[in-house]
Amino acid sequence: MKRTLGTCYYPEHWPEETWQDDARRMVAAGLTWVRIGEFAWSRLEPNPGEMTLGWMDRAIETLGQAGLKVVLGTPTATPPRWMLDRHTDMLAIDAQGNPRKFGSRRHYCFSHAGYLEESRRITRLLAERYGASPYVAAWQTDNEYGCHDTTLSYSAAARTGFRTWLRSQYADIDALNSAWGNVFWSMEYRSFDDIDLPNMTVTEANPSHTMAFRRYSSDMVVRFNQAQVEEIRPHSSAPISHNYMGRITDFDHFEVGKDLEIATWDSYPLGFLEDRVGATPEHQRMYAQQGDPDFQAFHHDLYRAVGRGRWWVMEQQPGPVNWAPYNPAPLPGMVRLWTWEAFAHGAEAVCYFRWRQAPFAQEQMHAGLLRPDGQDAPAMQEVAEMTRELADAPEVQPGTAPVALIFDYASEWAWSTQPHGAHLNYFGIVFDVYRALRRAGLSVDILPPTALDFSEYKVVLAPGLMTLGSELKAALENAPCTVLLGPRTNARTHDFRIPTPLPPDFADLDVTVSRVESLRPDMPRPLVGGGAVTGYIEELEGEVPTILHTQLGQPCAVAQGNRIYCSAILDDTGLDRLMIALCARSDLSYRAMPVGVRTRRCGSEEFWFNHTDKPVETDMGTLPPASVLRRTI
Amino acid sequence: MKRTLGTCYYPEHWPEETWQDDARRMVAAGLTWVRIGEFAWSRLEPNPGEMTLGWMDRAIETLGQAGLKVVLGTPTATPPRWMLDRHTDMLAIDAQGNPRKFGSRRHYCFSHAGYLEESRRITRLLAERYGASPYVAAWQTDNEYGCHDTTLSYSAAARTGFRTWLRSQYADIDALNSAWGNVFWSMEYRSFDDIDLPNMTVTEANPSHTMAFRRYSSDMVVRFNQAQVEEIRPHSSAPISHNYMGRITDFDHFEVGKDLEIATWDSYPLGFLEDRVGATPEHQRMYAQQGDPDFQAFHHDLYRAVGRGRWWVMEQQPGPVNWAPYNPAPLPGMVRLWTWEAFAHGAEAVCYFRWRQAPFAQEQMHAGLLRPDGQDAPAMQEVAEMTRELADAPEVQPGTAPVALIFDYASEWAWSTQPHGAHLNYFGIVFDVYRALRRAGLSVDILPPTALDFSEYKVVLAPGLMTLGSELKAALENAPCTVLLGPRTNARTHDFRIPTPLPPDFADLDVTVSRVESLRPDMPRPLVGGGAVTGYIEELEGEVPTILHTQLGQPCAVAQGNRIYCSAILDDTGLDRLMIALCARSDLSYRAMPVGVRTRRCGSEEFWFNHTDKPVETDMGTLPPASVLRRTI
Amino acid sequence: MKRTLGTCYYPEHWPEETWQDDARRMVAAGLTWVRIGEFAWSRLEPNPGEMTLGWMDRAIETLGQAGLKVVLGTPTATPPRWMLDRHTDMLAIDAQGNPRKFGSRRHYCFSHAGYLEESRRITRLLAERYGASPYVAAWQTDNEYGCHDTTLSYSAAARTGFRTWLRSQYADIDALNSAWGNVFWSMEYRSFDDIDLPNMTVTEANPSHTMAFRRYSSDMVVRFNQAQVEEIRPHSSAPISHNYMGRITDFDHFEVGKDLEIATWDSYPLGFLEDRVGATPEHQRMYAQQGDPDFQAFHHDLYRAVGRGRWWVMEQQPGPVNWAPYNPAPLPGMVRLWTWEAFAHGAEAVCYFRWRQAPFAQEQMHAGLLRPDGQDAPAMQEVAEMTRELADAPEVQPGTAPVALIFDYASEWAWSTQPHGAHLNYFGIVFDVYRALRRAGLSVDILPPTALDFSEYKVVLAPGLMTLGSELKAALENAPCTVLLGPRTNARTHDFRIPTPLPPDFADLDVTVSRVESLRPDMPRPLVGGGAVTGYIEELEGEVPTILHTQLGQPCAVAQGNRIYCSAILDDTGLDRLMIALCARSDLSYRAMPVGVRTRRCGSEEFWFNHTDKPVETDMGTLPPASVLRRTI
């Protein structure tokens, strides 16, 4: 499949007489795709039941005639104001019990049956109208599920839905009481209807209760998305996608992805840097105008898995955004770098958000490819360069990486339910391992916890996999390759209990976690030979040889053949040493990357990226600042 | 007009038999004014409709007979408990939707029609009774509008009032939808009655919505004050004032001031230092017992403008207060320094708050001129010194400063609605420029955005003027003097949209802001020649010569003749360099002040103030710590 | 009385067939006591009125037959879910007005009459059933009153109760208005029914109002506990206890204790370190695996006073807990050290919490003596060592210390109502003095403010005693020993007013506090001779000789004979100097303890504890890390 570019466009924002010229300029810029429609409900149905689709017909026609392929979004992230009159209780309720009101977007509760039906209705109407359009070449459901903390809602609808869901999971209330250990503080229920949502309790709620609510809430997103897919499918053969947002982990993206043909995500490297990467101030200053060198790559690899090989960047930052704490401009070259990086990880398309900067409403300070006055914004030059370079670039060749890394949303919820130490979180643990793999020059495939076949990999890493199903456990036990586990592997059952025998209870390893410690982040425990434990360490029983240990003599990583158990959270130096040990046991060469430089193999191509603002010496020669080097291998 | 002193007194707090002695001691201390009544509603009307004004008659008589002039306050900042039974929905509602209950003060919503009428009623009764009193020489409306975050209320009354106000602004709902760009996220309304207040939205509300609510909320304060003035005017020829509080910017003080004869403010230099000045810890330590060297002066100059030349300090801190995070004592000499500073900026009167420290209720730790046991508190010595010095001091001579600085409340709301970078705020930007002018030894007039005649000034500065009306824009374009603009000049329309042509769109300058960046405060961009950009910078197009630029080559200030556009937020060193350039272009001499020393010209007098706790060498000789030097020029 | 050990056990958590073996292992480990029942309500009464006590009968029988003494807890900290159907308004309401929902524990409001009656009912049923049991050797009421911030509730029940309580205190509303100074901001009430709770006011509530609510709320806890005692007493001669939690100060533990025979507390040295000790990060790192060297001792001495000599540790941390921000493991030796420390301070029993780690619910990560899989956890070795050592240890001999330190819960509320400087708090001030006494090698008795006989002491210290009743004042004035007062002694009346004459108004001292300053913590005022004032200092009038003063010449401590008034908050060096002066005036020898080493005399025994992780040289020779030295004197 050809690597293509696109943009996000809002015909409803601009006079109809400008559409044709916009379309012409998009084509001239080398763009293939134009996404439209995802916030347009109040223009599609200005009054309940009164459809005004003429403008949309003409917009699609205009764009399509100009040679563009349309991605049509369902507008369900922005129900119009009148929807609240029809469904007065459809708003989500926050954890403090307050309604999340109309006036921005995503103002609905996933559990609300009435709104779910409205979502089906508008989707059906669009699918019926445009399912056969020659120009509608892909669909997008809703927009950025879960963004703005919208997965979890503590509404009456959620409470009712949760009770029904619990009934389906546990059948009888005694089974639930027993599974959750509700005897503990006389928390036993006599009926499913006694169960409330786990917010606003005097002290923490039962973690089994919290974890069940997290699973339920994720299922509601899956259900919501599935309903739209069910409405589109009968009317259209075009692929269906959703545009996920970076580091939104409150629902299971893999489960939503099962109903889609293409996974897409919205990549805002500078926007993410302050709040989502979790980096030190030094790191933030170093990459303020480039973004973190691994954060986007991680998501690229994640959504390649979510899309089962087919994935896009649906929204690519082209300049300063409006919504981060600080909003600098990208260094010259970074828009090109980010675009090539996506392709290096196997993207089929990269769409820039947005075509023309809107001079009004919430995102008026969000850069586009055009300025509000219609002039080219700086990114346009780099888009032109991309268009030239893509002309003779090879097709998308994802290939298989030598290294697999499992990412499990349920483990994220489990760590969040019971981090044991303040600041500990699953995403951070997995991402730190990912970064260490990248510092080692390795390309990585991210896998869902439902992946059971590891035959193509030299290494499978499953850090922090707190809730581990029996199938995955068996698959890992039987994997022919090197397997790295821990910390906290298999530390909780599905019902959020500590299992007996004690974790990890992993067939190939004579290791038992006998006790767990969490530590202040400012009191690292240094390792013999370099590096340190930070924040978390387990005491181990068993006879497995130690490969890393603290200066106090505590093992941090033990290994038996090609099975490694890491019993601590390590700093970067410690992780680098662990990766060296891992490579040594797995027939992988460790290539130490210069600071800020990353490499990625994709089929027969190798890419090198310099994410710094200075030239860097590498094996491939000197890389200029903010630059990409492509070569065939 | 003679410079006079006064105090704030609460006869209702003390046994009636002590009033006469208190009055005698006030006169003996040289005080002219005594403000009373502003919290006394429960004693004026202990039960609804039952007026008990006898004690007030006697208090006024006693004070007046002793030779004091009374400032009579309306008691509307503290409605009695029974008022809530009459108007159960009169409380303000905070941004999280919670009522702000009875039990302290300012527990009312400015939008509440019923309470507005009660406010008129009590004001009318007082005006009728005391309007002709020979002793009531001035009035005060309410007390510290907006203090304790009370301008914005999210009540049902506010919602209803806001809808009515929007109707008056936009006439038809489509006009509003179009002006606000509500198409953006399907936020379009079908009726004004669909519009809610812009709080508790899922993510940020439309900034046009927020800005409109800010304008509405300010108008409600103006309306409330106006109503009291309307009740007093027919009955009294005494001037009417209000006592504004430092750095309260949620309503337009100039608009309120239009209905008053005198502006007064409440000056608590040590109380302000931690929370309101916005200074570094080092600065707070350096001035812990003196207060910031510019914060009071800024407000003096501001309220001289609000009062159109007539202004007072109604409450002057005389010792430790109770309400700041830390409450040290002023250095010996500071009470005198603060008093002279007010007079140097043109004050007609300075009243110390309060006469005797109350041993009960919320402010029992707030120092007065007397201790709770009736002994003189330390400030009394400095008051006595002031009285001696004032005996032969000249009259109030405000004069006109060579430099004008525009302060615009709407721009404060605009920056707060959309700061673009965390921590950026309009007050801070203007105040930093003011401080730089003071470090240059310049006296400053602050002007409202309605000032259109700059003929008496050598320089007009309008930093950060984000919303710029067409009249002011024309006046600045035509100003005969040097004009300094930027950053963000004219960046938004009245409806909070980015205008086209892009800002600043200023006739005399070939400058266009093509892109905007905000930066972490810990990553300054150094300037060539000293100083740095901190937090914010714009990219400029156009052909205007650069006068300051970063080491990366970006212009920060450009100048064309006597028009300067500053396109960045600069640190103090950068601002000093900008002021030097400004003076050079404006026939002004730049006098570099020693650290902590400030000077002010007032008519034919020049004052020098040493705000530090050490002696400082100046052109005028050595200034002792916490001292004032007066001279005729 | 023999020093004994015990544990906390939850038979309802484990299969009945395991109880006997558990009991056998407890006895084998040398344990005497087993506490049960305190969270078991849903198993004792699974449906309203349906009692299922058979299992409890058998559990008591099994444990008792094995040779254990049972402490039976009333289960009122965990009302079952059905209780909320019977009493829909029984939940506490937090200060923001939100209900504190079911799903954890302590979900009740102390003011709720219906729940109070339910609490009496279940207590009565248990007392009737087990009051005569030969195995029930002690009772525990409820569990950790006030934990999770549950003393203060802003419910309708609390509002009603508060009004009734105020009526009983003030009889007539004018008396209350006058006492509180409600005239201040027109806060006067016309009826007790006008009075609301002091939360959610626009700015701070009247401190008299707040303080009254604090007193009321404490009284409600006393009433709740008293009701249970009244139900148990007629049926049982076994002593009744409550297990207080560390640094819970929202109710008066002495007042609750008056109705009990034994005071017990729950000692979690590592759990307390981050949030409750109030120490610097350096200190927290130094003692991360040992706990603060004084915090437990302080509580031991406190509960010895609460129990009028009879006290236990009811819950002793045996390994990592689950609920602190960070949860490290104790250093080897610390469980033994903590146990001996309790005995050194006069404990009759130390019970480890808990027997076996529960693999489910909120505390699944809370270590027990057994692991979740039933294996011995590391603490078991130290318990075995304790059992061996206790075999020939002497009986409990509390004795009397040479030094008395008064701790007054009302002063804690008073400081919290009006700290005057951010971060100032009474507990911290008293604890800092306690630590200084311990650094001086002194053993301390803590006394309630009702203690009036100081004849056995060489020194009485009463730091920060803000509200001082007339009886205690007279007793201190007449004390034959050295008395240390201040700062803020007698600074407020019972109604929270500043008294006249001004404080301290202490017969034997010619000292008047004429003014008070609070200071930023980062601007200490150095003392001549070492040490510094931090955060708070008073200006003094009077003729008493100064013993400590700042480099600015301000007195910080003055002394007249054996009366010392300390007018500032001092840092550790300053306090050490004050203790040296104190010892010199009191015939006490000052023994400077090495860092982290503490000593305690108990009858004829002297104990030395090394709380550090390194060997330390002392007068007694080298103490190994985390070690105890016992000797007879």
Side-chain angles (χ1 to χ4, degrees), chain A residues 107-264:
Chain A
H107 41 281
Y108 67 85
C109 173
F110 280 105
S111 292
H112 194 273
Y115 185 64
L116 177 63
E117 187 47 42
E118 298 276 4
S119 156
R120 277 187 180 274
R121 182 178 61 80
I122 189 72
T123 302
R124 187 185 322 129
L125 289 168
L126 292 173
E128 287 168 357
R129 181 90 157 208
Y130 302 112
S133 163
Y135 304 126
V136 174
W139 293 83
Q140 175 185 296
T141 56
D142 200 274
N143 185 76
E144 294 179 353
Y145 290 138
C147 194
H148 315 307
D149 194 19
T150 50
T151 299
L152 302 177
S153 164
Y154 297 87
S155 67
R159 188 171 54 226
T160 303
F162 184 45
R163 289 169 178 171
T164 303
W165 184 90
L166 287 171
R167 254 188 208 97
S168 77
Q169 300 281 312
Y170 291 99
D172 114 37
I173 193 67
D174 291 336
L176 178 146
N177 283 327
S178 171
W180 290 9
N182 279 336
V183 64
F184 190 67
W185 282 342
S186 279
M187 296 177 294
E188 290 169 304
Y189 300 105
R190 296 187 297 158
S191 152
F192 286 99
D193 292 333
D194 283 346
I195 304 176
D196 206 335
L197 302 178
N199 62 325
M200 302 176 75
T201 49
V202 174
T203 182
E204 60 171 324
N206 189 331
S208 298
H209 189 177
T210 301
M211 186 71 186
F213 182 62
R214 300 300 300 262
R215 290 188 194 277
Y216 161 76
S217 298
S218 177
D219 282 3
M220 289 302 98
V221 180
V222 173
R223 179 184 76 160
F224 188 90
N225 183 70
Q226 205 168 41
Q228 295 204 358
V229 171
E230 286 170 10
E231 298 296 341
I232 298 169
R233 279 270 152 74
H235 302 286
S236 174
S237 58
I240 306 175
S241 69
H242 174 73
N243 64 326
Y244 302 91
M245 185 58 172
R247 198 167 181 176
I248 296 291
T249 55
D250 284 340
F251 67 92
D252 190 327
H253 296 205
F254 294 117
E255 289 302 311
V256 166
K258 282 180 182 167
D259 295 309
L260 305 172
E261 278 82 24
I262 299 176
T264 79

Side-chain angles (χ1 to χ4, degrees), chain C residues 73-129:
Chain C
T74 67
T76 48
T78 52
R81 174 62 186 79
W82 52 255
M83 188 67 75
L84 276 81
D85 296 330
R86 285 168 73 132
H87 304 284
T88 52
D89 58 350
M90 67 171 278
L91 296 176
I93 304 292
D94 71 18
Q96 287 70 47
N98 298 314
R100 307 189 68 188
K101 290 170 33 176
F102 182 85
S104 61
R105 61 178 185 175
R106 302 212 54 73
H107 41 280
Y108 67 87
C109 173
F110 280 105
S111 293
H112 194 273
Y115 186 64
L116 176 64
E117 186 48 44
E118 299 275 4
S119 156
R120 277 188 180 274
R121 184 179 60 81
I122 189 73
T123 302
R124 186 185 322 128
L125 290 168
L126 292 172
E128 287 169 355
R129 181 91 157 211

